[in-house]
Amino acid sequence: MPYTRGGAVDRTDVGALVQAAIDGDAAAWKALVEGLSPLVWSVVRAHRLSEADGHEVCQTVWFRFAQHLGRIREPEKAGAWLASTARNECLKVIKGLRRLTPTDDPQVLDRVSEDRTPEQSVLDSEEAAAQSERVRRLWQEFDALGERCRELLRVLIASPPPSYQEIADGLGIAVGSIGPMRQRCLRRLRARLEGRGPK
């Protein structure tokens, strides 16, 4: 039986996977890394680190996880441990930054295929520009939300989605406040988008 389903570790198997990894099972370790890395990355993205800093934090988190593997008291909560560690490492990096580092690099457009007609190229270019404007507006309104809303929504869009306990550990908020806070943040974002209207 594979350890993962669709590339994501089954949360009910995390404790068993940790124990198997402690016992030297390379497949179990691989399943943990592949299945829980999206959670670690979601916490990193929520703190808006540069790509280089984000990679460094992720490597540090997994290194510390490997170091403490045999000492984790509740192996079934490894996801929460990783989320909490990722948050702490992100805060260390942020505290150490001397200046603001840009985190968004412009996307390079794909070159147009030679078999497209000029008309198709124009239509594709116009659609890409319209889509780019929609995305720009969405992120502009997203950035106008409060910091807590931005952090929470970034973590919630991770794939696979983290559990509420992992979110609470990663962002330092109460489990019971996640649902109501999510609704308020999404309502606020929707209202901002609808209030501006199409351009």
Side-chain angles (χ1 to χ4, degrees):
M1 290 269 307
Y3 282 122
T4 59
R5 295 171 178 82
V9 65
D10 187 348
R11 294 188 190 288
T12 60
D13 292 340
V14 169
L17 286 172
V18 170
Q19 189 55 56
I22 292 171
D23 294 338
D25 187 335
W29 174 257
K30 182 180 179 186
L32 285 168
V33 173
E34 289 179 355
L36 295 176
S37 282
L39 169 64
V40 175
W41 270 108
S42 71
V43 174
V44 171
R45 281 192 288 269
H47 289 81
R48 305 194 69 173
L49 300 182
S50 69
E51 186 175 350
D53 286 337
H55 280 288
E56 186 173 337
V57 165
C58 286
Q59 289 176 357
T60 301
V61 168
W62 284 108
F63 177 71
R64 296 201 189 291
F65 185 65
Q67 279 184 316
H68 293 86
L69 194 60
R71 300 195 295 274
I72 295 176
R73 293 180 183 174
E74 298 176 283
E76 68 279 3
K77 294 184 179 178
W81 190 97
L82 287 164
S84 182
T85 304
R87 176 175 179 262
N88 291 337
E89 291 300 322
C90 287
L91 293 176
K92 284 182 189 175
V93 170
I94 291 169
K95 188 176 179 182
L97 289 176
R98 296 288 184 245
R99 58 184 178 84
L100 185 64
T101 303
T103 60
D104 296 323
D105 294 327
Q107 295 295 317
V108 179
L109 295 175
D110 293 333
R111 277 182 285 185
V112 178
S113 172
E114 291 180 2
D115 59 354
R116 292 179 182 174
T117 65
E119 292 81 6
Q120 286 174 319
S121 297
V122 170
L123 290 174
D124 289 346
S125 176
E126 289 177 350
E127 176 55 32
Q131 175 64 17
S132 176
E133 173 61 14
R134 287 192 293 270
V135 171
R136 185 196 67 75
R137 281 190 54 221
L138 173 63
W139 285 110
Q140 184 177 13
E141 298 302 341
F142 180 87
D143 286 340
L145 296 174
E147 181 180 352
R148 298 302 278 166
C149 277
R150 293 195 306 267
E151 286 183 347
L152 178 63
L153 294 178
R154 283 180 184 275
V155 171
L156 286 170
I157 62 175
S159 179
S163 70
Y164 272 23
Q165 185 60 56
E166 290 166 341
I167 294 172
D169 291 337
L171 299 183
I173 58 179
V175 171
S177 67
I178 293 173
M181 184 176 169
R182 173 183 173 271
Q183 290 178 344
R184 283 195 307 274
C185 293
L186 289 175
R187 259 198 314 268
R188 199 177 307 162
L189 180 59
R190 188 178 300 114
R192 293 188 64 88
L193 288 169
E194 291 173 354
R196 289 189 58 174
K199 283 202 168 187

